[in-house]
Amino acid sequence: MSQLSDRYKPQDVESKTYKWWEENSYFEAQDTSTKPPYCIILPPPNVTGFLHMGHALDHTLQDVLIRWKRMSGFNTLWLPGTDHAGIATQSVVEKDLAKQGIKRHDIGREEFVEKVWEWKHQYGDRIVSQMKRLGDSCDWSRLTFTLDEGVSKAVRKVFVDLYKKQRIYKGTRLINWSPKLESAISDLEVEYKDVKGSIWHIKYPLSDGSGYLTAATTRPETLLGDTAVCVNPTDERYKEHIGKTVELPLVGRKLKIIADDYVDKEFGSGVVKITPAHDFNDYEIGQRHQLEMLNILNKDGTLNENAPEKFQGLDTKKAREQVVSELEEQGLLLKVEPYTHSVGHCQRTGCVVEPLLSEQWFVNTKDMAIPAKRVVESETIVFEPESWTKTYLHWMNNIQDWCISRQLWWGHQVPAWYCSDCQHITVKEQDPAECENCNSKNIQQDEDVLDTWFSSGLWPFSTMGWPEETEAQKTFYPTNVLVTGHDIIFFWVARMIMLGLEFKQDVPFRTVYIHGLIRDSQGRKMSKSLNNSIDPVEMIEEYGADALRFTLMSQIASGRDIKFSTQRLESSRNFMNKIWNAARFALNVLEDFEPPKEEPLTAVSSRAHLSDADVWIIQKTGECEKAVDDALSNMRFSDAAGALYDFVWHEFCDWYLEFIKPVVYGDKPEEKAATQLVLSQVLNRVVRLLHPFSPFISEEIYQKLPIKSEACVIDQYPTVKNDKTWLALGVEDVAFEVDVTRAVITAIRNIRGENRISPGQKIKAKLIPHADKGQKILGKGQSSIMTLAGLAECEIVSEADKNKCAVTPVVLKDISIDVVIPLEGLVDFEEEIKRLEKNIDKLSKEENQISKRLSNDNFVKNAPDEVVEEAKQQQASLQQQIESLKSSLLRLK
RNA sequence: GCGGACAUAGCUCAGUUGGUAGAGCACCAGCUCGACACGCUGGUGGUCAGAGGUUCGAGUCCUCUUGUCCGCACCA
C-alpha cells in the first residue's frame, strides 16, 4: 500500500500515459482491416483558438464513442483536423498588427498572409496539445488542416465542378455586408437582435403640388437611395396617385409612385419608400418593377458619391442624424415615434450589417437540397435528438443561395481568373497561364477567398484523400456519427450532407448527435463579456481530465444544455479518488496472489471456493455491463456514467470490498485465493468499463493489475456477451440471498443509527426467519451480518421474547425476517418509540393507498392480473410489517 | 407570426412502451471500523408549474393556461 498515494494525482499519470499511448500507436486506424470500421470526423476547431468547455463536451462524447468502439473490436478512426477559420484568424492577426500600428493594406496581401501563416505556426499546436490533455484518442497521423494541399485540391475541384454544372455562379445581388470586415457574409452569419430605435414619418411632396404622401422608415438615411415609393394597388386612398411622382426630400429626384401587393394597407400610412439597393424587400420590389438600384454606401459603410455631396463620407449613424435634422428644418418630418425592431448584426464583429448590392460568388443550393432532404426524411441520416430533423428540413425547404465569396485574404482564393482583354472568366483547378477563351496572358485571379464553411463542407472526404481514390475512403466513408452542437447544423452539417451526396454519391454520416451548450452554474451562456467562461485546461489541472470528462458525461442528457458547476466536478474527482483507493486496497490484497495458469479472466477452477459475496459481485458486474452496453448503444451517456458510478461505489466498494475483508485477512487459503481471483477479475472489468469515460486512471490501474493484457485502451470492452463464461459464475438466486443479507445489515444499522447506539458498541441481535429458506440465507450470511452490523452475538431463532426490543421486519420478495435487537440497558426507549411511530406512519400511508386501489372494483376488474396480484402481495406484506411494528411499540410503552 | 424545447426535493438533474417518484450535491445526527474525511453509517426533504380531459390507474398520453429558453420569418 505504501507505494501508492492515498490521493489520486492526475498530474502524475495523465501526460505520461498519453505519451505512452501515442508511442504505441494505439489510436491509429488501418486503411484496410478485417475489423469492421468505425469512424468519426472531428469538427475541426479554429487552428489558433483555445480549447473551451464546448470542445471539452464535444470531444469527450466522441472520445467515449471511439474508445468504446475501439475496445469493442472495431477498426476505429477518429479523424482530427484544424480549421483556418478565415474571418476569426484574420481578425486576430489584424488586431495584433494594429498594436504595432500596421494595417493589412499597408503591408499588402502577400506579406499579410505570410504573417497569418507565422501566427498559425506559432499557435497551431496549442489547440492540439490541449486536446491531448483532455485525452482525445485521435489518429494524429492523419491530422489535417483546411489549407493543406490535399484539401485545397479538393476545394478547387469542387468549385470548378460546381461552376461547370452552373451550380456556382457569379452575380450582382443584394447581400449582407459587414462594414467592419469590409466583406460579404452569408445569411447565417447575420444575427438579428431587437434594438430600441425610432420610426420617422417623412413627407414626400407630390410633384404636382397637390400635397404629400407620408412614408415611414427606421433608417432615414436610406432615403438618399430611394428610387420609388410604393402603395397597395387596391388602396383607395392612393389609387389616383399611382403612376405619378413625388419629390425625394433633400435630393430632389423624382420618384415614381408604384403599386405592389407587398404593401400592407393597414400598416402605417400605407406608403412605403423603396430603397432597392439597401433593403431585401425593396430589392425584390425593385426587381419586379425594374427600378434603378442606387448604391449609396462605400465598403466601410460610409456614404458614397451617389449621395448628395454634403453627406458623402459620413457613416450611417452621422448621416442619419444629419438627414433627420435637415428634414426637420424643411418641415418634412411629420413625427418620430419610439420603435423596436430587429437589426442584423455581424456575428463576428457585432457591427450592424448593411444590405448592399454587390457582385459575389454564389452556390445555387436548391437542387442539392432535394437529395439532402430526402436522406433525412428516409432516415438514412438520423438526428439525435430527433427534434432537430424538423429544424433541418424547414431550413432546407427555405434554403437560399449561399454567398461563398469573402473579401478577405486568409483562406482559399477563388480559382477564377479574369481576362482583361476579352473579359472571359477562366475557372480552373490548376493556375492557368492564359485565358482559355482568347489565350491572352493578361489574366488576373479573383481577389476573394471562399467562405470557411465551403472547405469544411468537404471535410468528411477531403480529409480522406479525395479527389484521389483512397483505401481510407473505401473503408471509412460514410462515417458513422457526427457529434456537434446545434449552432452549426446549417453552417456545417447541412453543407456536408449536400456536398457529400453531390461528390461522393453517399451520405457523409449515419447519425448526427446534437448536444447542448455548456452554460455557467446560473444557466447563462459562457461569454467573454460576462467573464463567466471556464477554462477546461484549468479544470483539468485542478481536478484531472478524467474527473472533467466524467462530469460532462454524467450530466449530458439528450439535447439538453449543461449547467456546469465545480460542485459536480468535485463529486467526479471524489469518484476518481474512490476508484483509486479501491484499487489501492485491492492491489494490496492481491500482493501475494498468483493468477492461475489457465485463461485467467474466465478461470472457473476455484468455483468451489467462491463465497456468496463473490457470486454476488459477479452477478452485479454482469448487470452493470448490460446497463452500460444498453446506454452506450443508445448514446445515453449519462445513464452509462450513472450505472458505473452506482456499481463501483455502492456495490463494489460499499459492499463487496467490505464483505471480503474477513476472507482476505482470514486464515483460509482456498477461500482467500478464490476471492483474490474474483477481486482481480472484477477490478479488471471495472477499469475497462470505465476506460472510455476515464481513460487515464483506468489505464494506470490496469497496468498494475495482476491479471491484464497489453493495454486497457486496446483490451476488450466487457459485455455480457464477451464475458459469458465468467458471468455464468454469477447465480441470481445466490445474489438474491446476499441482497437479503444486506437488507438485514441495513436494518440493524438503521436501528443503531436511529437509537444513537455508538458504532463502537457491539450489540446482540436475534433474527427470526419466517420460513426455512430465510433460515438458510441467514445461516450463510451470519458472519457477514455480525461483522458489518457490529454484532457481538447473532442468534437465528424461530421465536423470541421481543420485550424491550427494537424490531424491524425485513421483507424481500418471498422472504420475511424479523430483526430483533434487545435495547434494555443500551438506551432509553424514546428514540425507538419515535423510530417505530415514524415507520408505522410511513408504511400505513403506503398500505392505505394500496387498499384504496384494491377496494376499487374497476381496478381489480381491469388491471392486468399480475398488477393486481402484486398489489395484494404488497398489501399483505405491509399489513404484516405494520402489525409487527405496532406490537413492538406496545411492548415498549 | 410559425416552429421547437423545458417546468420533478434547497440546487443540478434521472425517471424508455401509463402501475403510484429516484440519484448526486447541500442539510441533520453519529463515526479515526486495518482503501479512501475527496471517507464511513444512519436520517430529513417532493400537491411532479396550474387547470381540465382520456383511463381502473397519469410525472408519463391529450387540451388549455402561466412562466423560462431557443430557432425561423416579418418588421414601412
Side-chain angles (χ1 to χ4, degrees), chain A residues 222-242:
Chain A
T222 61
L223 78 75
L224 303 172
D226 285 359
T227 55
V229 293
C230 189
V231 297
N232 189 289
T234 63
D235 195 331
E236 294 300 330
R237 291 171 295 178
Y238 305 117
K239 237 175 179 166
E240 49 175 322
H241 297 304
I242 294 167

Side-chain angles (χ1 to χ4, degrees), chain A residues 144-341:
Chain A
T144 309
F145 179 49
T146 47
L147 291 181
D148 282 350
E149 203 190 326
V151 177
S152 300
K153 265 191 195 162
V155 166
R156 280 203 174 184
K157 166 136 178 89
V158 166
F159 187 94
V160 172
D161 212 78
L162 290 175
Y163 181 75
K164 284 185 182 152
K165 292 179 187 160
Q166 297 183 318
R167 297 234 165 119
I168 281 183
Y169 64 93
K170 193 174 194 196
T172 301
R173 305 244 311 247
L174 198 64
I175 47 92
N176 293 293
W177 184 264
S178 167
K180 216 162 180 176
L181 292 173
E182 299 195 11
S183 172
I185 55 178
S186 76
D187 302 346
L188 288 173
E189 288 161 305
V190 181
E191 271 176 1
Y192 288 90
K193 290 183 213 163
D194 275 348
V195 170
K196 279 181 191 164
S198 307
I199 186 162
W200 287 267
H201 299 258
I202 300 163
K203 291 181 184 175
Y204 282 66
L206 289 157
S207 301
D208 60 11
S210 63
Y212 60 86
L213 298 181
T214 305
T217 179
T218 54
R219 296 187 296 155
E221 72 282 6
T222 61
L223 78 75
L224 303 172
D226 285 359
T227 55
V229 293
C230 189
V231 297
N232 189 289
T234 63
D235 195 331
E236 294 300 330
R237 291 171 295 178
Y238 305 117
K239 237 175 179 166
E240 49 175 322
H241 297 304
I242 294 167
K244 294 181 183 170
T245 59
V246 292
E247 307 285 318
L248 177 60
L250 311 186
V251 180
R253 200 159 53 233
K254 281 197 181 359
L255 304 182
K256 209 168 164 189
I257 300 166
I258 58 169
D260 194 287
D261 287 336
Y262 162 75
V263 178
D264 177 2
K265 283 188 281 190
E266 309 301 319
F267 193 97
S269 63
V271 180
V272 183
K273 61 188 267 316
I274 304 297
T275 321
H278 298 288
D279 182 282
F280 285 95
N281 290 310
D282 293 6
Y283 177 72
E284 281 180 24
I285 293 174
Q287 282 191 315
R288 278 201 287 276
H289 298 268
Q290 283 94 46
L291 297 177
E292 187 192 347
M293 309 270 174
L294 189 67
N295 181 8
I296 58 166
L297 290 177
N298 290 312
K299 283 183 182 176
D300 61 358
T302 59
L303 297 202
N304 68 13
E305 67 282 0
N306 289 329
E309 206 173 336
K310 57 186 165 185
F311 297 109
Q312 289 175 18
L314 298 179
D315 63 34
T316 47
K317 197 178 160 220
K318 287 211 180 94
R320 178 173 304 177
E321 285 166 12
Q322 199 162 325
V323 164
V324 169
S325 78
E326 292 204 14
L327 286 171
E328 210 164 6
E329 276 167 31
Q330 296 184 24
L332 294 172
L333 190 62
L334 209 60
K335 60 176 173 179
V336 187
E337 292 169 319
Y339 194 77
T340 301
H341 60 134

Side-chain angles (χ1 to χ4, degrees), chain A residues 368-380:
Chain A
M368 287 197 277
I370 294 166
K373 259 190 312 197
R374 203 168 45 223
V375 293
V376 171
E377 281 161 350
S378 65
E379 295 181 1
T380 310

Side-chain angles (χ1 to χ4, degrees), chain A residues 466-538:
Chain A
W466 190 89
E468 312 299 325
E469 274 189 31
T470 59
E471 289 299 321
Q473 282 171 80
K474 281 183 205 158
T475 302
F476 294 113
Y477 193 97
T479 67
N480 295 76
V481 186
L482 181 81
V483 177
T484 193
H486 58 75
D487 48 338
I488 54 176
I489 291 178
F490 308 140
F491 276 112
W492 195 43
V493 179
R495 270 91 180 246
M496 284 192 285
I497 295 173
M498 287 192 286
L499 292 164
L501 288 167
E502 181 78 19
F503 289 96
K504 289 288 294 178
Q505 289 77 48
D506 201 351
V507 294
F509 28 72
R510 306 282 188 206
T511 302
V512 181
Y513 181 90
I514 301 290
H515 59 247
L517 255 54
I518 305 262
R519 298 171 175 278
D520 74 2
S521 57
Q522 295 165 54
R524 301 173 304 178
K525 255 186 187 170
M526 288 191 184
S527 72
K528 275 178 201 153
S529 55
L530 281 170
N531 199 25
N532 61 348
S533 295
I534 294 170
D535 178 1
V537 177
E538 271 175 37

Side-chain angles (χ1 to χ4, degrees), chain A residues 718-772:
Chain A
T719 63
V720 173
K721 204 176 147 201
N722 294 338
D723 266 348
K724 211 170 163 189
T725 319
W726 184 73
L727 289 176
L729 296 171
V731 180
E732 205 176 336
D733 289 348
V734 176
F736 172 71
E737 292 172 10
V738 174
D739 285 335
V740 173
T741 302
R742 287 166 61 214
V744 169
I745 293 167
T746 303
I748 299 170
R749 284 172 173 173
N750 174 276
I751 292 169
R752 299 185 65 122
E754 296 277 282
N755 283 292
R756 290 153 218 256
I757 299 170
S758 130
Q761 175 134 27
K762 300 286 177 209
I763 57 171
K764 296 177 184 173
K766 286 179 181 160
L767 307 175
I768 310 172
H770 294 306
D772 290 351

